[in-house]
């Protein structure tokens, strides 16, 4: 059972179920989101409520944030009425947003300057993993701080791994997002080719899923392409954001990421095409449009 107060900021698709799992584990929560209706929903289920991130931090020694992107984490933690205005020495901020590793390092430095501990702890596993409490959580920051909060993180995830210093959690998350996006793109190309050759894409899927081409991406995304069903899931616009952060980081490090860059451009084109809120398996529709054929035959 949890034994101390936890502040929770960002009650979106991921934050809501993660907050619920912390309540189930016995932690006493105070929540905040810029959208008041989301605060009301959780407060009706028994959490405390705050009217700013600062107030969340004033009332809790541990504050978790999960907001969309780098600028949002900066606003929630470093901004006016943000977490650092309310946090006391010895408290901890755990940012579970998927953001640029460089921004995590900037936030960590600002926390250290106030005697506040920091962990970047982005997640993988999507809404189903958040609901089931089976997220993969990849963590950057000091090992002793990680060790102190491993039990708390385990209430939201089944895999909790310390990856290195500040920003390391988000570097690992970017690695994850590169592998997933480029794998989806390859599945899309392969199934379009097979369809154009007159084959049944579901037969192709059955024939290759047990071989070296088999992957969680193939098993979960090929059926969506075959059905022509791109309901999210993980949205195109969020994946575009992650690859953008990957390319920014690669530029800082002097690492060319040619295929990631191509797929990031495809995701951008899909957003312009009104598909920003489709599942990221819709990368296949970019390939379909170029070939004037659909995998599903729809
Ligand atoms: P979301 O847009 O559903 O939720 C984000 C929430 O943060 C919203 O309720 C928003 O109002 C709130 N918010 C934004 N700025 C704020 C601020 N300054 N102060 C307080 N609240 C603020 O997004 P999500 O899908 O829950 O994703 C959150 C993060 O988790 C993102 O970085 C995303 O990439 C990552 N992620 C999402 C998934 C997924 O499948 N949705 C999977 C893994 C990781």
């Amino acid at each position: 059972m949890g034994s101390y107060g936890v502040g929770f900021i960002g009650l979106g698709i991921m934050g809501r179920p993660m907050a619920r799992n912390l309540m189930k584990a016995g932690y006493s929560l105070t929540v905040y989101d810029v959208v008041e209706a989301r605060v009301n929903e959780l407060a009706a289920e028994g959490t405390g409520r705050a009217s700013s991130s600062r107030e969340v931090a004033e009332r809790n020694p541990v504050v978790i944030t999960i907001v969309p992107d780098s600028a949002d984490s900066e606003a929630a933690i470093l901004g006016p009425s943000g977490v650092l205005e309310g946090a006391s020495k010895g408290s901890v901020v755990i940012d579970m947003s998927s953001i640029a590793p460089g921004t995590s390092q900037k936030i960590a430095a600002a926390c250290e300057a106030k005697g506040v501990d920091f962990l970047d702890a982005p997640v993988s596993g999507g809404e189903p993993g958040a609901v089931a409490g089976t997220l993969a959580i990849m963590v950057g920051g000091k090992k002793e701080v990680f060790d102190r909060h491993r039990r708390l993180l385990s209430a939201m995830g089944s895999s909790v791994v310390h990856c290195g210093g500040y920003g390391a959690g988000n570097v690992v998350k970017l690695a994850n997002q590169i592998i997933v996006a480029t794998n989806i793109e390859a599945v899309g190309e392969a199934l379009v080719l097979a369809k154009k050759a007159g084959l049944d894409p579901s037969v192709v899927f059955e024939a290759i899923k047990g071989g070296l081409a088999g992957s969680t991406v193939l098993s979960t995304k090929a059926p969506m392409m075959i059905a022509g069903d791109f309901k999210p899931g993980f949205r195109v616009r969020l994946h575009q954001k992650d690859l953008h952060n990957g390319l920014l980081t690669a530029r800082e490090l002097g690492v060319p990421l040619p295929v990631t860059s191509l797929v990031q451009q495809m995701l951008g084109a899909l957003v312009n095409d009104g598909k920003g809120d489709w599942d990221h398996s819709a990368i296949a529709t970019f390939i379909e449009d170029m070939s004037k054929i659909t995998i599903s035959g729809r």
Side-chain angles (χ1 to χ4, degrees), residues 9 12-14 33-35 38 66-68 98 123 126 234 241:
I9 298 167
I13 293 179
M14 300 297 283
D33 192 289
V34 286
V35 178
R38 299 200 168 147
I66 179 154
V67 293
S98 304
V123 306
F234 188 68
K241 176 261 303 182

Side-chain angles (χ1 to χ4, degrees), residues 284-295:
T285 67
F286 186 90
I287 312 300
E288 291 179 337
D289 289 350
M290 286 198 299
S291 305
K292 306 290 174 225
I293 190 168
T294 62
I295 296 164

Side-chain angles (χ1 to χ4, degrees), residues 9-16 18 32-35 38 53 66-69 71-77 96-99 122-128 135 173 177 233-235 238-239 241-242:
I9 298 167
L11 305 170
I13 293 179
M14 300 297 283
R16 281 195 303 271
M18 289 162 71
Y32 173 68
D33 192 289
V34 286
V35 178
R38 299 200 168 147
S53 294
I66 179 154
V67 293
D69 201 355
D72 307 304
S73 285
E74 284 197 54
I77 300 168
M96 303 190 75
S97 321
S98 304
I99 66 170
V123 306
S124 174
E127 189 184 14
L135 292 168
K173 175 67 182 177
Q177 295 304 77
F234 188 68
R235 292 173 205 280
L238 282 180
H239 214 143
K241 176 261 303 182
D242 289 337

Side-chain angles (χ1 to χ4, degrees), residues 222-238:
M224 296 179 78
M225 297 174 194
I226 290 166
D229 171 12
F230 300 110
K231 240 191 290 102
F234 188 68
R235 292 173 205 280
V236 163
R237 72 173 78 256
L238 282 180

Side-chain angles (χ1 to χ4, degrees), residues 2 11 14 16 33 40 59 84 112 175-176 195 201 218 222 255 267 288:
L11 305 170
M14 300 297 283
R16 281 195 303 271
D33 192 289
N40 294 341
R59 287 160 47 186
L84 273 191
E112 274 201 350
N176 182 82
K195 178 80 177 188
L218 183 72
V255 177
L267 287 161
E288 291 179 337

Side-chain angles (χ1 to χ4, degrees), residues 6-202:
V6 175
F8 201 102
I9 298 167
L11 305 170
I13 293 179
M14 300 297 283
R16 281 195 303 271
M18 289 162 71
R20 288 185 180 116
N21 282 329
L22 289 176
M23 283 167 75
K24 267 189 227 149
Y27 293 95
S28 152
L29 253 57
T30 308
V31 303
Y32 173 68
D33 192 289
V34 286
V35 178
E36 202 185 347
R38 299 200 168 147
V39 177
N40 294 341
E41 188 183 334
L42 266 283
E45 296 174 28
T47 71
R49 54 186 305 150
S51 55
S52 68
S53 294
R54 184 188 62 224
E55 197 186 324
V56 169
E58 281 166 356
R59 287 160 47 186
N60 295 280
V62 176
V63 176
I64 292 173
T65 49
I66 179 154
V67 293
D69 201 355
S70 305
D72 307 304
S73 285
E74 284 197 54
I77 300 168
L78 309 182
S81 296
V83 172
L84 273 191
E85 283 187 4
S88 41
K89 213 165 170 336
S91 62
V92 63
V93 177
I94 305 176
D95 185 19
M96 303 190 75
S97 321
S98 304
I99 66 170
T103 305
S104 295
Q105 288 164 350
K106 177 180 168 187
I107 294 172
C111 287
E112 274 201 350
K114 284 204 71 177
V116 172
D117 289 323
F118 178 80
L119 296 172
D120 54 294
V123 306
S124 174
E127 189 184 14
V131 171
T134 56
L135 292 168
I137 305 178
M138 33 222 124
V139 188
K142 290 185 181 149
K143 177 74 165 59
E144 66 269 20
V145 177
F146 169 79
D147 287 339
R148 275 207 303 279
H149 298 97
R150 179 196 275 275
R151 193 176 62 128
L152 171 74
L153 294 171
S154 299
M156 297 176 280
S158 49
S159 158
V160 182
V161 178
H162 182 246
C163 303
Y166 296 133
N170 270 306
V171 172
V172 174
K173 175 67 182 177
L174 291 179
N176 182 82
Q177 295 304 77
I178 288 169
I179 293 168
V180 171
T182 55
N183 202 343
I184 291 175
E185 197 277 343
V187 171
E189 285 193 13
L191 293 183
V192 164
L193 176 74
K195 178 80 177 188
K196 191 84 180 184
L199 301 189
D200 177 347
S202 47

Side-chain angles (χ1 to χ4, degrees), residues 46 212 261 269:
L212 191 55
S261 138

